[in-house]
Amino acid sequence: MADGVLTNGMGDKPDGILHKPKEERPVVLKFGGTSVGKFAPEIAQICLLLKAARDASKPPSQEYKTIISKLEEEHLGAARCIKSSEIVQKLQADITAEFQALNQVLDTVVKSQSVDPQSEDRVISVGEKLSSRILAALLEDRGIPSEYVDLSDIIQPPVPDRLGQQFYQDLSHTFSQRLSSCHDRIPVITGFFGRIPNGLVNTLGRGYSDLCAALVAVGLQATELQVWKEVDGVFTADPRKVPTARLLPSLTSHEAGELTFYGSEVIHNLTLQQCVPRIPIRIKNVLRPHSAGTVIQPDDKSSASAAEPPWQVMSNRPKRPTAVTVKEQITVVNVHSNRKVDSPFFLAQICTILSNHSLAVDLFEKNECHVSLAVHNNKISYRTPDTKDNAGKEKSKYYQIQDQDLKSAVRELEEYGVVDVVFERAILSLIGTGMRRNVGIAGRLFTSLGSNNINVGMISQGASEISIACVIEEREALRALNVVHSELFTYLD
């Protein structure tokens, strides 16, 4: 089932919602495709919809009509799980209408012979609309008053080219006004919330549905935003990679932000930005609904215990970090200059080049004549023509940069010095509130890596009070993650 949002209670007027006492405010629940046990079918459905759109852009092919017809039959069949014949008839009529609208979009694609971002958005959003309609009908069938809410046309032009905080604030208020009309019915909301110039998916990525839930929660001043996933919450490390990883009952918004930045799939960063001032975010497992999950505390609640990681406040054990994570597919770009890098002009030019090519730097390190940049890049390939040379020694890999932005940036950086690029690296990050006051934590981190023959490249701590990060070889990432977790979490005395 596609991404969607539920709220567990509504008021009569927007003004009433904005000033309700805490006990009367709703809880917003966000469910995604993984949460309802249809991960593989959902991905397949999205792929089929996109395939239909691509097929429609290449006449005289008519395969897209067969794809759409098959998907419609599947959804009409799914509607039969509802017992009430009246609700089934209405739902099936709504499903048919959605597919008629989809066919109109694809007919337009056929005429233009291209798929623009807006058309792609409209195609992808069909799955969310159908899923939300089925869920709303199912709730009604179970005697729970509910209402399907489609937000796909809620954004009215003109839309700014750059979506700033004012845009999101206005949008959250618009959401609260729209949802106030639901009164005591439970709104079942599509995660897709409107058309913007460059396309919602292109602009925000697949995390737009998390952002939609956050904006709804902010607009309604919800007591909590619950994001339901297929995991119990946030762990001290990725439990798929570290068997001894433990569930965290809570963490601060700053820790969650660092974990997200350094590769953990905690929560969409924009979602965090909207909620952290006031609203806690709880991550729960749809397969274990009675589990408390992990709470990301808002700023006003997390500041009181800022000196300690949240799971240590009532413990006499030695201080531990909150979590350790690894971000793979890192490329390190080294610029060796014949001028001092302290020159404001030199550093400004480096930053301008990176900005012009839309490159985000994860770590930055410099000395008198040298600058190192760690960039996340998943478009690098390598090839080894022969595994061994004539002497029987293995040949070194030949790397090729496929990302045109990175390739162009390296070419421009060569005007300022000798540039070498190091591939297949990863960033290991140790995260926890109060890290700077945790004496000896950096020493224990690097001692554990060194004693296990894991070489460390770039090191960064000054940019953040709650994290220590370093670059290691990507092939050592899994081993390093387990080594650090064992030394600093499992066996720390």
Side-chain angles (χ1 to χ4, degrees):
M1 194 173 286
D3 292 328
V5 181
L6 288 171
T7 65
N8 73 338
M10 298 299 304
D12 295 332
K13 298 179 181 179
D15 290 341
I17 292 171
L18 293 176
H19 300 287
K20 277 190 172 186
K22 181 177 180 179
E23 60 272 12
E24 296 182 24
R25 297 175 189 167
V27 173
V28 176
L29 292 77
K30 187 268 178 180
F31 296 88
T34 55
S35 298
V36 290
K38 287 183 60 180
F39 183 70
E42 182 58 30
I43 293 296
Q45 177 176 297
I46 292 173
C47 292
L48 281 172
L49 287 169
L50 290 175
K51 184 178 186 301
R54 302 298 179 194
D55 180 74
S57 67
K58 299 175 182 178
S61 174
Q62 297 293 307
E63 185 182 353
Y64 75 93
K65 293 185 177 180
T66 302
I67 295 172
I68 298 305
S69 177
K70 181 181 178 181
L71 287 173
E72 182 176 3
E73 289 178 8
E74 289 179 357
H75 283 81
L76 289 172
R80 298 191 186 100
C81 68
I82 294 171
K83 298 177 181 178
S84 169
S85 58
E86 181 181 351
I87 295 177
V88 168
Q89 290 177 3
K90 182 180 184 304
L91 176 59
Q92 289 181 333
D94 291 337
I95 290 172
T96 300
E98 290 289 357
F99 277 101
Q100 288 175 347
L102 175 59
N103 275 308
Q104 291 177 357
V105 172
L106 295 179
D107 289 342
T108 302
V109 170
V110 169
K111 294 177 182 178
S112 64
Q113 298 185 22
S114 64
V115 184
D116 58 28
Q118 287 77 16
S119 297
E120 187 171 303
D121 279 356
R122 294 181 68 181
V123 170
I124 291 176
S125 68
V126 171
E128 299 180 13
K129 294 178 181 180
L130 294 169
S131 303
S132 298
R133 285 190 181 277
I134 293 173
L135 179 56
L138 186 61
L139 291 174
E140 286 284 343
D141 191 52
R142 302 289 174 87
I144 303 172
S146 62
E147 180 176 338
Y148 165 74
V149 179
D150 182 2
L151 300 178
S152 59
D153 293 318
I154 201 164
I155 298 178
Q156 300 298 317
V159 179
D161 293 332
R162 188 169 184 176
L163 306 183
Q165 185 56 32
Q166 187 60 51
F167 171 81
Y168 294 126
Q169 288 178 357
D170 294 341
L171 192 56
S172 65
H173 180 66
T174 303
F175 285 171
S176 70
Q177 290 181 312
R178 169 63 184 88
L179 297 177
S180 66
S181 64
C182 294
H183 302 292
D184 292 329
R185 296 184 298 277
I186 294 180
V188 182
I189 309 166
T190 59
F192 181 83
F193 60 86
R195 304 182 186 96
I196 57 178
N198 295 321
L200 195 65
V201 176
N202 284 347
T203 303
L204 299 175
R206 291 296 299 171
Y208 66 79
S209 56
D210 281 359
L211 175 60
C212 176
L215 294 174
V216 169
V218 171
L220 301 179
Q221 287 199 345
T223 56
E224 186 175 87
L225 167 61
Q226 294 182 1
V227 179
W228 290 75
K229 296 175 174 286
E230 74 283 6
V231 295
D232 286 337
V234 182
F235 287 75
T236 52
D238 188 338
R240 297 168 297 184
K241 300 177 180 179
V242 181
T244 56
R246 288 177 285 186
L247 179 67
L248 294 166
S250 67
L251 68 161
T252 69
S253 58
H254 301 295
E255 289 170 334
E258 289 286 309
L259 282 168
T260 299
F261 181 78
Y262 284 117
S264 292
E265 298 176 1
V266 177
I267 198 76
H268 193 279
N269 189 48
L270 276 174
T271 303
L272 203 58
Q273 290 177 16
Q274 300 305 315
C275 286
V276 290
R278 298 176 299 277
I279 299 171
I281 302 172
R282 186 183 298 272
I283 299 174
K284 289 176 66 70
N285 190 341
V286 71
L287 299 176
R288 293 162 51 91
H290 297 295
S291 174
T294 299
V295 179
I296 302 173
Q297 297 287 4
D299 287 344
D300 57 352
K301 293 184 180 180
S302 61
S303 58
S305 59
E308 300 282 357
W311 65 326
Q312 295 182 32
V313 175
M314 296 184 292
S315 174
N316 293 322
R317 293 176 298 178
K319 289 183 179 179
R320 292 182 175 89
T322 299
V324 58
T325 186
V326 163
K327 187 174 187 177
E328 298 179 333
Q329 297 180 324
I330 296 295
T331 300
V332 176
V333 180
N334 299 305
V335 182
H336 310 273
S337 177
N338 54 7
R339 70 187 79 177
K340 290 185 177 181
V341 300
D342 285 337
S343 164
F345 173 78
F346 178 82
L347 293 176
Q349 289 300 109
I350 296 290
C351 293
T352 299
I353 290 171
L354 298 173
S355 176
N356 288 344
H357 294 286
S358 303
L359 293 174
V361 177
D362 290 319
L363 289 182
F364 183 97
E365 188 180 81
K366 73 178 183 67
N367 57 27
E368 186 177 10
C369 297
H370 176 92
V371 173
S372 293
L373 313 163
V375 181
H376 181 251
N377 179 28
N378 58 1
K379 296 182 179 179
I380 295 175
S381 65
Y382 62 85
R383 60 182 176 87
T384 308
D386 299 306
T387 56
K388 295 183 178 180
D389 60 16
N390 295 332
K393 296 181 180 180
E394 291 191 1
K395 286 189 173 183
S396 57
K397 295 174 181 177
Y398 170 78
Y399 293 90
Q400 180 181 10
I401 303 176
Q402 291 184 330
D403 189 318
Q404 292 302 317
D405 286 325
L406 180 58
K407 185 183 295 185
S408 300
V410 169
R411 191 160 46 242
E412 292 184 30
L413 289 172
E414 288 174 343
E415 298 180 10
Y416 298 91
V418 178
V419 178
D420 66 81
V421 183
V422 183
F423 302 94
E424 290 189 336
R425 292 297 182 264
I427 296 176
L428 184 141
S429 305
L430 198 62
I431 294 166
T433 300
M435 291 279 281
R436 182 171 291 181
R437 292 179 290 274
N438 196 343
V439 178
I441 191 67
R444 289 198 293 271
L445 167 64
F446 296 121
T447 297
S448 66
L449 293 172
S451 61
N452 285 275
N453 298 316
I454 299 172
N455 192 40
V456 173
M458 298 171 60
I459 299 173
S460 173
Q461 182 179 13
S464 171
E465 293 189 8
I466 63 172
S467 70
I468 303 173
C470 62
V471 174
I472 59 176
E473 293 185 58
E474 191 173 59
R475 63 186 177 88
E476 296 281 19
L478 181 60
R479 190 164 71 92
L481 191 63
N482 280 272
V483 163
V484 172
H485 192 274
S486 295
E487 294 291 332
L488 298 180
F489 293 83
T490 307
Y491 300 121
L492 180 64
D493 294 321

